[in-house]
Amino acid sequence: MKKIVEKSMLGRAWVIDAYENSANDTYATDHLIEKILERRGIVDSADIQEFLNPSVKYMPDPSCLADMDVAVRIIADAILAHDKIAIYGDYDVDGITATAIMVKYLRTLGCDIIWHLPTRDGEGYGLNISAINEIVASGAKLMITVDCGISGVSEVQHAKESGMRVVVTDHHSPDDVLPNADAVVNPKRSDDTSGVQYMAGVGVAFMTLVALRRELKLRDIPDDMREKIESTDLRNYLDLVALGTICDTMPLIKQNRAFVTAGLKILDKRQNLGLRVLMDVAGVKHASVYAAGFVLGPRLNAAGRLDSAAPALELLLTDNPLIAADLANRLHEMNQERIDIQNTIMLRATELADECCASGRHSLFVCGDNWHGGVMGIIAGRLKDRYNLPSCVATKCDGVINGSGRSIACVDLGAIIHQALAAGILTEGGGHAAAAGFSLPADKEAEFCAFLEKSVQDQLDGKSPIGEILVDAELDASGATMDLIDKMSVLEPFGQGNPEPTFVLHGGQLRFATPMGKGAHLRGAISTSRGNQLSFVGFNLMGTPVGDFLLDDANTNTKITVLGKLKKNEYNGRVTPQFFLEDIALG
């Protein structure tokens, strides 16, 4: 690795893989793309072709997942027996979309379907006995879980003892003991060899539907059902699969990349009435990873964060334009309420995080009385980005602490949460390497805080996390052109696991900068060696050393080196390059 900048204004090192002719030639774009793929571990010619030409046709046979064939036989039996089927999901976008595609397809086949999404505050993540009792009382004979269930050992046992069959489909890391369901479909099972452990819950649910369709076609089924199966194209559900995959921050690699590429095209067709109306309300003109993850996703998530996720699911399921309009507007308003709550809590959380950092900790744990539980994960992510430390944010109410955590690349937070659960410190917990949720008694707060810190230090081998930013290419600022942006588009869709290329631009001079929006963001321009200007925007930079520097008039015309992403900006029919500035170094 070669260091471009030892220490930036935000205190980070900028590093790049050292190789000959490292793209200082602005127009060596093919070489640049090759090197970016190489850094992402894609070097074989077949893998490169699959990456550059993602297609659902490369989807592996669903039977490669452990228990998949058993699961779809059970579901097919229930369908042909005309049993009532319950779908049990989760309150985040992954769970909502997974529930939606399962409900949609089974209803298309004429099944008697009910669904349940737990409330974040009242029930919490995963299965619960009370909800299962209601499902049993409704007369359901089969319960299918989506994006949950893998940790519900006692709940699944209760459902079985109550007379239901249970099929678990999930993607979260299992504990040592799997639930005693009739089938457990989860690519993270220790005995699963499918290789699709990177999938979201909605991806696993989609593969289950593909396998179910095949199973039903092999059965002796009524002609009207066969006709419905033949006339229903499961690919039309890929807009929902893409949404869930993006919003659950799953890596956009292999089959996820194909799901998202195809799904965004379906989303652009606006075939789902609820999504079409939500896109209009939110001002989304074109489908993109950004629109899915930062515009539509937060609105769908807002319902579950503040109360119940039911309105979001109802929006995805409805065929009534009036109902769709009402639900979309409600979600839009809920999202604004969520933002207001989040901003208020963020101020106090930042103060507490500063105190943690001052004590030299390798992890952050901040907790407030009666903070709204629905924004803990968002704030944890903000703190993680700001301090480059694994960050847990929690709320304390009635003697119980509930929280969420987000982690940096070199710390597996999900493993730490599972270890704390096994140690009896936590009462509930689970998640991924990058994100996790947890609950504990208030009197164990100090114990968990110490456990978290020691576990993080052990994973880091006692060293402080290094604030390094990986750079894809260095360019003269004059090389930041539309031509470069167009050529780099072959790497899309960008997202987790396939981030947008990060550029360092040399030789620019600051022309001006000014606050934008409600004051948290900035916009401005730099001039290049060729005399042209490149506009930039900087999000959440107010109050940082970068923001202070940019807004100081004394720094106008100063030569700066900037780090960020290069995107196209469409305004009044004109398309121009725009730099999304993230950090600055002088010189």
Side-chain angles (χ1 to χ4, degrees), residues 246-247 289-299 335 338:
I246 293 166
C247 293
V289 172
Y290 177 84
F294 294 95
V295 182
L296 301 177
R299 285 161 175 78
N335 189 54
R338 185 270 305 169

Side-chain angles (χ1 to χ4, degrees), residues 318-453:
T318 188
D319 292 321
N320 186 309
L322 293 178
I323 292 175
D326 176 63
L327 290 170
N329 280 291
R330 281 170 60 191
L331 293 177
H332 186 69
E333 292 167 1
M334 285 180 179
N335 189 54
Q336 186 56 55
E337 181 183 351
R338 185 270 305 169
I339 291 172
D340 293 341
I341 292 170
Q342 174 187 315
N343 289 342
T344 300
I345 296 174
M346 184 67 188
L347 291 173
R348 178 56 181 153
T350 302
E351 292 175 354
L352 295 173
D354 285 338
E355 294 174 10
C356 280
C357 288
S359 65
R361 290 178 59 88
H362 293 69
S363 64
L364 295 180
F365 177 83
V366 299
C367 183
D369 291 330
N370 298 307
W371 283 352
H372 199 295
V375 298
M376 298 296 95
I378 297 174
I379 294 174
R382 292 279 177 86
L383 295 181
K384 181 265 297 183
D385 291 341
R386 184 181 183 114
Y387 298 97
N388 190 45
L389 295 174
S391 301
C392 290
V393 179
T395 178
K396 187 187 305 180
C397 181
D398 297 330
V400 177
I401 292 173
N402 292 293
S404 292
R406 299 294 182 268
S407 192
I408 57 179
C410 49
V411 174
D412 186 340
L413 183 59
I416 294 173
I417 295 300
H418 277 281
Q419 291 159 7
L421 186 63
I425 300 171
L426 302 179
T427 54
E428 293 181 65
H432 318 297
F438 55 88
S439 298
L440 66 152
D443 59 8
K444 287 184 177 287
E445 178 178 353
E447 186 178 357
F448 174 66
C449 192
F451 185 92
L452 173 68
E453 177 65 14

Side-chain angles (χ1 to χ4, degrees), residues 80-93:
L80 296 178
H82 304 290
D83 290 341
K84 178 178 282 190
I85 301 173
I87 311 300
Y88 197 119
D90 188 23
Y91 44 66
D92 67 358
V93 177

Side-chain angles (χ1 to χ4, degrees), residues 501-564:
T502 297
F503 292 99
V504 167
L505 304 184
H506 298 286
Q509 286 184 302
L510 177 63
R511 302 307 301 166
F512 76 92
T514 186
M516 179 179 70
K518 293 185 177 181
H521 317 308
L522 299 166
R523 65 178 179 87
I526 59 174
S527 61
T528 76
S529 58
R530 294 186 180 178
N532 61 307
Q533 287 199 5
L534 175 66
S535 68
F536 68 78
V537 292
F539 292 104
N540 298 306
L541 289 179
M542 289 290 285
T544 70
V546 171
D548 295 342
F549 175 87
L550 291 172
L551 293 176
D552 188 340
D553 290 340
N555 294 321
T556 303
N557 296 323
T558 300
K559 190 174 180 181
I560 57 176
T561 299
V562 294
L563 175 142

Side-chain angles (χ1 to χ4, degrees), residues 462-476:
K463 301 173 183 176
S464 295
I466 299 172
E468 287 187 343
I469 299 295
L470 298 179
V471 176
D472 289 290
E474 298 177 79
L475 302 172
D476 184 85

Side-chain angles (χ1 to χ4, degrees), residues 286-308:
H286 302 294
S288 65
V289 172
Y290 177 84
F294 294 95
V295 182
L296 301 177
R299 285 161 175 78
L300 292 171
N301 252 334
R305 290 189 183 282
L306 298 183
D307 185 20
S308 165

